[in-house]
Amino acid sequence: MSSSREAEPAPVEVSRAAEDKLTYKLGLAAEVKCADLIQAYNACAEGRTISAAWACRGAYAASQACIAEYVNKVNIEAMKVR
């Protein structure tokens, strides 16, 4: 019986501490690459308290979406392989 899907490589096993370090490094890279969106959210939220939750909702979502492009399971697995 043949499958039309290619077999996915087995996940690389690393310690929890090593995986946390990889996630941290990806997060730092994401902060650099998404700096403009993060700054836009920070500017919106500056001087606000509770109202930032709805007033800056779009800016927050944009910054989180950008970060999620870089910090995700696919990229973490790729870093483990390296």
Side-chain angles (χ1 to χ4, degrees):
M1 184 186 260
S2 67
S3 173
S4 62
R5 283 191 341 180
E6 291 183 27
E8 292 184 22
V12 176
E13 294 295 323
V14 298
S15 70
R16 181 66 186 158
E19 188 169 338
D20 287 345
K21 198 175 280 190
L22 293 174
T23 302
Y24 177 76
K25 287 182 178 184
L26 284 171
L28 291 177
E31 285 180 17
V32 170
K33 293 176 181 180
C34 302
D36 56 335
L37 294 171
I38 294 169
Q39 182 55 40
Y41 170 72
N42 289 341
C44 177
E46 188 175 349
R48 297 179 189 266
T49 55
I50 296 172
S51 67
W54 63 87
C56 305
R57 178 177 35 218
Y60 178 77
S63 67
Q64 293 300 298
C66 182
I67 291 169
E69 288 180 33
Y70 299 101
V71 182
N72 57 49
K73 288 183 180 186
V74 172
N75 289 340
I76 292 170
E77 288 300 321
M79 290 284 288
K80 286 180 185 180
V81 171
R82 284 189 231 158

